[in-house]
Amino acid sequence: MIFEQIVTGGCQSYLVGCSETSAAALIDPEISQIDHYIALAARDGLRIRYLIDTHTHADHFSATRQLARQLGVPVVMHQASSAPFVDMRIGDGEMIIVGKLRFQAIHTPGHTRDSLCLRVEDRLFTGDTLLIGATGRTDLPSGDPEALYDSLFNRILRLDPDLKVFPAHDYKGRQSSTIGQEIATNPRLQKRERAEFVEMMCNLNLSMPTHVTEALRTNMSGGKSVAQLLAEAAACVPFMSLEVLKSHIEATQDDLIVLDVRERDAYESGHIPGAWVLPRGQLELRVNQELPDPTRRILTCCELGYVSTLAASTLREMGFLHTVALDGGMKAWREAGYPVKAGREP
């Protein structure tokens, strides 16, 4: 077996390959690590055949759909998953064959309805069902403490105590554990009676994960996160530095339209001298009226540089091929001590 554990903050992904055939599966990939996964597979001489999510994640953005499009391989989840982009839905006890390796699915609802664990030789990939020193929470959509009790005490904890446990998350830098170690030392597993375990899970009072609504939306629907939209826009937009723009303004060159895409009140409180205002929300509706010449060179700016990147991408898609975005936005412009003008332009 060829095995790679990839850590992204508290998230854990796993590249598991067959050393005889070079086929591999990627478990719980995270969106920011796409290039890393592909590079690791190439370095190890592996070809990724399956992309597996152990459950619908609420605390990070899954890379399965984007990688599936990029690599032309199927997304695998439990059959209870509602995600429309899943290509292969598997049930309890079913297997995925990856070269000489067998990935056996164990349905373990509780953290989510579609949670599963994967057993591969001496390893158990537990998703968020069983963590090192903890368990998955049950207070997010489709969570169920009763179901988690059954998944743990009636299934997972009855497996070989020497099985190595590899969870989808760990926030203390730990790489793995074993079933036996978790039975002996995991504080939550000491609540062995159903009622006391359920009471404990219902009173954890944990804070909500960052971006939980956005993560659930994208992971359940296959939609895009804000970060994805920004990354895609930035990939097709050139940028101009603050210093170069300042030089343009000082040279009183008229070959560049500075287009402020903030709302008018923000624009009037302070903008780059000579800038026009066209709020991002009105861009598509007013662009033909405000910018009749598609050959003009346009620079978009906003407060932090994010909205202007999206605006520049939109303008280029609409045929304004000489559009660039300001690197850094108005905040960076002000902090650099560059000139700002309040009110409306004449």
Side-chain angles (χ1 to χ4, degrees), residues 160-236:
D160 182 350
D162 291 329
L163 267 179
K164 297 175 183 176
V165 171
F166 290 93
H169 294 91
D170 187 82
Y171 298 94
K172 296 183 179 180
R174 298 165 296 192
Q175 292 185 321
S176 68
S177 180
T178 67
I179 295 290
Q181 288 172 342
E182 292 309 305
I183 291 173
T185 64
N186 189 319
R188 294 189 192 175
L189 301 184
Q190 307 317 305
K191 305 288 187 180
R192 292 185 171 89
E193 296 298 322
R194 177 185 292 271
E196 64 176 358
F197 179 84
V198 169
E199 181 182 9
M200 172 190 67
M201 295 304 298
C202 290
N203 292 282
L204 292 177
N205 297 318
L206 301 172
S207 59
M208 284 292 110
T210 305
H211 307 306
V212 59
T213 302
E214 186 183 15
L216 286 172
R217 172 181 62 78
T218 59
N219 293 335
M220 291 178 70
S221 68
K224 295 180 180 180
S225 67
V226 173
Q228 282 178 274
L229 292 171
L230 284 168
E232 291 174 6
C236 62

Side-chain angles (χ1 to χ4, degrees), residues 238 256 294-299 316 319-324:
L256 179 69
T295 67
R296 290 295 302 272
R297 191 180 184 197
I298 301 167
L299 176 137
R316 291 176 75 89
F320 295 86
L321 303 182
H322 302 291
T323 303
V324 301

